[in-house]
Amino acid sequence: MKALEERILAEGEVLPGGVLKVGSFLNQQIDIDFLMQMGKDIAQAFEDCGVTKVITVEASGIAFAVAAAYYLGVPVTFAKKNKTSNASPDVYSAYVDSFTHGKTYEIMLPKEYIKPGERVLIVDDFLACGNAIKGLCKIISDAGATAVGAAAAIEKGFQGGGDELRRDGLKIHSLAIVDSMDDGKIVFRNN
Ligand code: 5GP
């Protein structure tokens, strides 16, 4: 999506450790018109996949997942990273390594929110090593549902997660693929 690439070049900040900050329009502050355009693009890419639900992980993926789910006309549910007092004890769970936070955390989704036979689209703001998507794939599989694919606003191609998932046969749709950020210079993959 050309408009996203231009926005990343104009507002993105390359942080140490291969982290891209897009807080001004996607993460901490959200440009809603732009978010909805991105969601529409994702919905079009998966319109023939019979999606019944969109799934993401809290917290930064939620807004983008809502936009995609809106255009697909399906509900969105998200896995939580922390056990809360009102959380259901009856959950599907997976362990996910986070390179941005440098730790492993457990993601949990109550069984009541994902049912056998559902056709689930995974949506997240970033795709880096692919660990969050792999964790969500495990939860979907444990529930007896099907992952129809995964969508990301920004894929960091140089971390390899997207290409590994593609090789494994999962349909991946990323709106912008950053192939390198060496010396702060952002280079996109031609796709
Ligand atoms: P993965 O599991 O694919 O390695 O990383 C995906 C998750 O890490 C996303 O949910 C996202 O929140 C976070 N993440 C990974 N890389 C970046 C980045 O460069 N910038 C931001 N803001 N988040 C990132």
Side-chain angles (χ1 to χ4, degrees):
M1 190 177 169
K2 202 74 204 152
L4 177 58
E5 292 184 358
E6 284 166 5
R7 199 83 191 247
I8 293 167
L9 290 177
E11 297 178 40
E13 283 174 61
V14 178
L15 302 183
V19 173
L20 178 62
K21 183 178 168 196
V22 285
S24 64
F25 66 93
L26 184 60
N27 287 143
Q28 183 136 19
Q29 170 172 269
I30 296 169
D31 178 336
I32 299 172
D33 268 349
F34 195 61
L35 183 84
M36 297 311 278
Q37 282 176 43
M38 292 196 293
K40 196 173 191 175
D41 187 301
I42 298 300
Q44 282 165 353
F46 289 92
E47 65 188 354
D48 297 328
C49 296
V51 177
T52 61
K53 184 163 286 178
V54 166
I55 189 173
T56 190
V57 183
E58 70 171 357
S60 59
I62 296 176
F64 182 47
V66 167
Y70 174 79
Y71 286 106
L72 284 164
V74 299
V76 55
T77 187
F78 59 90
K80 290 195 175 191
K81 287 177 185 163
N82 298 301
K83 286 197 172 74
T84 49
S85 54
N86 62 351
S88 162
D90 204 12
V91 297
Y92 296 111
S93 70
Y95 286 95
V96 172
D97 292 331
S98 166
F99 99 98
T100 40
H101 296 109
K103 63 176 188 180
T104 300
Y105 51 86
E106 189 180 14
I107 59 171
M108 288 155 284
L109 186 71
K111 292 185 176 174
E112 63 191 296
Y113 298 136
I114 183 164
K115 297 292 178 196
E118 289 217 72
R119 295 181 61 77
V120 184
L121 174 63
I122 298 167
V123 176
D124 206 354
D125 56 346
F126 276 87
L127 164 52
C129 302
N131 295 323
I133 290 175
K134 285 180 204 160
L136 289 170
C137 281
K138 177 190 178 291
I139 286 175
I140 293 166
S141 161
D142 288 352
T146 301
V148 301
I154 304 170
E155 175 178 340
K156 292 189 295 178
F158 57 90
Q159 289 183 264
D163 290 331
E164 188 188 332
L165 290 162
R166 287 183 185 95
R167 279 195 297 274
D168 289 347
L170 192 67
K171 175 175 173 174
I172 304 287
H173 183 70
S174 301
L175 299 182
I177 303 180
V178 176
D179 255 348
S180 68
M181 308 198 299
D182 297 343
D183 301 321
K185 187 177 179 311
I186 298 170
V187 177
F188 295 102
R189 186 180 295 182
N190 295 321
N191 55 355

